[in-house]
Amino acid sequence: MKETAKESKFDRFLKVIETGCNKLPQPAIIFMFLFLITAVLSLILSCFHITVVNPASGAEVVVRNFFSIEGLYWFLANMITNFTSFPPLGLVLVMTVAVGFCEESGLIETLLNEKMKHILPALLPYVVAFIGIMGNIASDTAVIIIPPIAGLLYLAAGKHPVAGMICGYAAVQAGFSANLMVAGTDGLLQSITQGVVDNFLGEGVLTVDITCNWYFMAASTFLCTAVIGFVCNHFVDKRFDTYVPVEGMEIKRERQATPAEKKALLWAGISMQIFLVLIVVLTIWGPLGVVVGKEEEGARAFVGSYLLKNLVTILVFFFAVPGIVYGAIAGKFKSLNDIYSAMVKIMGRLSGYLVFCFFCAQFQKTFSWTNIDQLLAINGANFLNATGFTGYGMIITFIIFSSLINIFITSASAKWAIFAPVFIPMMILAGNYHPAMTQIFYRLGDSATNCFTPFSPYLWVTLKAAQDMYDPKLKLGTLVSNLIPISVVLTVLWIVFLVVWMMLGIPIGPGVTVFMPAS
């Protein structure tokens, strides 16, 4: 990190965070201890018979004792499946191999040197931020792909590549709720919201559509792009010195592409275009446009389609096909054995990640099985409900509360399933706010802190990628201390943006206003 002659109090604060996080042990060890702490905590809480009532179901939630016979049976039966069913595991493995074809074949190096080297450095953070925010329509896939590509773009532009990875990661995670398009998250949260509305108001009284937040979230895309790009450009980038490769690391510098490489790049682009045309045709007129679960009806839509539900598989071929085509024409892949060797080399980088996944999966599953996650969320919601705040104070408090809970429980749908039955009726009764508006309050709080919470496995994935690509000595603190300012500034300005939007009375979605419709 860059040393400055005179540091502000905020810089010193970030340095304390960076130093503290850098002293943490390896991520696998951290999650091993978190797993043990959760197990012991479940024993203590169960001994005191700590319970809460789930507002969604009305059922009593009891803390399960990990050290009971039930806990022993559960762990023995589920330890392996906890690991193998861990969502980031398969996603990272297959996407790393797919993108690795582009890297090992030399496609990325040539593409950056030929097409990206003249991009204006001052605009790059805004470009990365916009791509990252829009990329979240691919859900967790974007957080695997975009940070490494952002690092390469920064390197090609003469900027520090780790700063680029931070910008890309912040865009995907902190701007998770924003998008110009209706995404899968909209459908997931809307279904929970509609269920709560039906229970509270009665079925058929009020319909909450999947597009209920569309206008606000589309506008938020430009806000998030501007904020993340500005903070990265004027703060994060300035905290990094000029990048100097660590001794022994092979960093591919700018050079003139050979005629064979230019030819290979052309054909790689053609193969990618052919693939995209095929996907578009299959989506508009073929089976990829059919809604999952409605095959017999022949229902077609983008949201819920086989394309969107299976986007990871599509993206694997999207990267692998041009990578292999380029490698074959450029002479990098002369036989199937060369392609196999490239795959083995790529997989060899992931040994540490597999160890991390094992312990992270055990912690997350145990945290959920013991019901400590529900205990934390429900008690927090009950406390906020009891504060008696009204108006904008109530809204801002709810957003901040959601942000804090999000640090520990990263699943958006899991938290909303607990919060919605509490806060939707509360917001209707206290301020006559439309349920879709309450959903926006939640989404603002649920987004910004995504980027720096150490409980997100993708933060560790990004750290490992940065270590492998640019700096083996890079520590967690460097990422966290640069992500926190992005999160804080974005949260504040997003709340201001929300307040102004509400004061102007602009619809938040098609036919949806801030307040409940007149009866």
Side-chain angles (χ1 to χ4, degrees):
M1 294 295 294
K2 187 175 182 179
E3 297 290 338
T4 56
K6 187 177 180 180
E7 293 182 332
S8 66
K9 291 182 179 180
F10 188 62
D11 284 325
R12 290 196 293 271
F13 168 71
L14 292 179
K15 185 159 284 187
V16 170
I17 292 176
E18 180 176 358
T19 303
C21 290
N22 284 347
K23 291 180 179 179
L24 292 172
Q26 292 293 324
I29 297 175
I30 292 174
F31 281 97
M32 179 184 70
F33 280 118
L34 287 173
F35 163 71
L36 295 174
I37 290 170
T38 301
V40 173
L41 188 59
S42 72
L43 171 63
I44 296 171
L45 293 175
S46 64
C47 287
F48 285 95
H49 304 290
I50 304 295
T51 63
V52 290
V53 176
N54 189 323
S57 62
E60 185 181 49
V61 177
V62 180
V63 175
R64 292 171 169 174
N65 181 5
F66 178 82
F67 294 103
S68 65
I69 296 297
E70 181 189 13
L72 174 64
Y73 287 161
W74 172 80
F75 187 67
L76 290 175
N78 291 279
M79 186 188 76
I80 294 175
T81 54
N82 288 347
F83 174 53
T84 57
S85 63
F86 188 52
L89 177 62
L91 175 60
V92 172
L93 290 179
V94 297
M95 289 309 305
T96 299
V97 171
V99 177
F101 280 127
C102 299
E103 181 184 351
E104 291 298 315
S105 67
L107 171 59
I108 291 178
E109 178 191 2
T110 304
L111 180 64
L112 292 175
N113 285 332
E114 288 296 304
K115 306 297 181 183
M116 303 291 185
K117 61 183 177 183
H118 300 302
I119 190 169
L120 209 60
L123 293 178
L124 188 55
Y126 298 96
V127 173
V128 169
F130 181 76
I131 293 172
I133 292 166
M134 289 300 297
N136 67 44
I137 196 169
S139 191
D140 293 345
T141 309
V143 79
I144 302 300
I145 297 173
I146 289 174
I149 293 177
L152 292 170
L153 289 173
Y154 265 56
L155 184 64
K159 297 163 77 77
H160 201 292
V162 175
M165 296 189 71
I166 289 171
C167 181
Y169 184 78
V172 177
Q173 292 286 69
F176 181 75
S177 280
N179 208 293
L180 294 178
M181 302 176 65
V182 175
T185 305
D186 293 277
L188 191 63
L189 298 182
Q190 173 267 337
S191 63
I192 297 172
T193 300
Q194 186 64 67
V196 173
V197 169
D198 288 344
N199 287 333
F200 183 65
L201 299 177
E203 290 190 21
V205 174
L206 180 68
T207 300
V208 181
D209 294 320
I210 193 172
T211 58
C212 64
N213 295 159
W214 186 22
Y215 294 167
F216 182 83
M217 288 308 172
S220 294
T221 302
F222 300 105
L223 172 75
C224 294
T225 297
V227 172
I228 294 171
F230 183 86
V231 176
C232 288
N233 218 4
H234 297 278
F235 181 79
V236 175
D237 289 3
K238 296 184 186 304
R239 299 190 77 223
F240 286 87
D241 288 309
T242 302
Y243 177 63
V244 178
V246 177
E247 185 178 353
M249 290 202 74
E250 180 187 356
I251 301 296
K252 298 173 182 178
R253 290 297 188 181
E254 183 178 326
R255 62 174 180 79
Q256 189 66 33
T258 65
E261 288 173 336
K262 291 182 179 179
K263 179 182 177 183
L265 185 61
L266 173 64
W267 281 103
I270 291 173
S271 69
M272 182 179 290
Q273 291 174 23
I274 293 173
F275 179 79
L276 286 175
V277 169
L278 178 63
I279 295 300
V280 170
V281 170
L282 289 175
T283 301
I284 297 176
W285 295 287
L288 292 182
V290 176
V291 177
V292 176
K294 297 184 178 180
E295 295 85 357
E296 293 184 2
E297 303 170 22
R300 308 184 69 84
F302 180 69
V303 176
S305 66
Y306 270 88
L307 171 69
L308 208 56
K309 293 287 187 180
N310 300 280
L311 195 58
V312 173
T313 306
I314 303 296
L315 288 173
V316 167
F317 289 102
F318 175 79
F319 286 102
V321 169
I324 293 173
V325 169
Y326 177 92
I329 296 176
K332 182 70 174 180
F333 297 151
K334 297 178 180 179
S335 67
L336 291 176
N337 285 334
D338 291 334
I339 297 176
Y340 171 77
S341 297
M343 294 174 67
V344 171
K345 182 180 179 181
I346 296 162
M347 280 293 189
R349 305 172 189 166
L350 298 173
S351 55
Y353 175 71
L354 294 176
V355 178
F356 155 75
C357 282
F358 176 79
F359 287 105
C360 185
Q362 304 310 323
F363 159 69
Q364 289 195 351
K365 292 294 186 179
T366 303
F367 193 60
S368 176
W369 182 85
T370 57
N371 289 329
I372 293 177
D373 59 341
Q374 292 191 54
L375 183 74
L376 176 66
I378 294 170
N379 278 328
N382 290 338
F383 170 77
L384 184 59
N385 195 15
T387 59
F389 286 123
T390 58
Y392 289 119
M394 173 179 64
I395 294 168
I396 294 172
T397 303
F398 176 45
I399 293 172
I400 294 173
F401 167 73
S402 299
S403 298
L404 295 175
I405 291 294
N406 186 53
I407 295 174
F408 304 98
I409 306 173
T410 57
S411 171
S413 58
K415 293 192 300 294
W416 187 231
I418 293 172
F419 291 169
V422 175
F423 291 107
I424 286 178
M426 174 178 144
M427 293 291 181
I428 291 175
L429 296 174
N432 199 37
Y433 293 113
H434 196 289
M437 197 69 226
T438 305
Q439 185 173 289
I440 284 180
F441 302 154
Y442 168 72
R443 295 179 74 172
L444 262 62
D446 183 61
S447 293
T449 50
N450 278 337
C451 68
F452 70 83
T453 170
F455 288 92
S456 171
Y458 297 114
L459 180 62
W460 301 96
V461 171
T462 302
L463 174 63
K464 184 65 170 63
Q467 290 171 336
D468 289 342
M469 296 173 72
Y470 305 113
D471 185 1
K473 296 182 179 179
L474 185 69
K475 300 291 186 179
L476 178 68
T478 301
L479 298 188
V480 172
S481 63
N482 285 287
L483 288 165
I484 286 178
I486 299 173
S487 176
V488 171
V489 174
L490 180 60
T491 299
V492 172
L493 293 182
W494 214 344
I495 290 175
V496 172
F497 182 71
L498 170 70
V499 171
V500 172
W501 188 289
M502 293 175 65
M503 292 176 67
L504 293 175
I506 303 172
I508 58 175
V512 184
T513 59
V514 173
F515 299 104
M516 289 283 290
S519 26

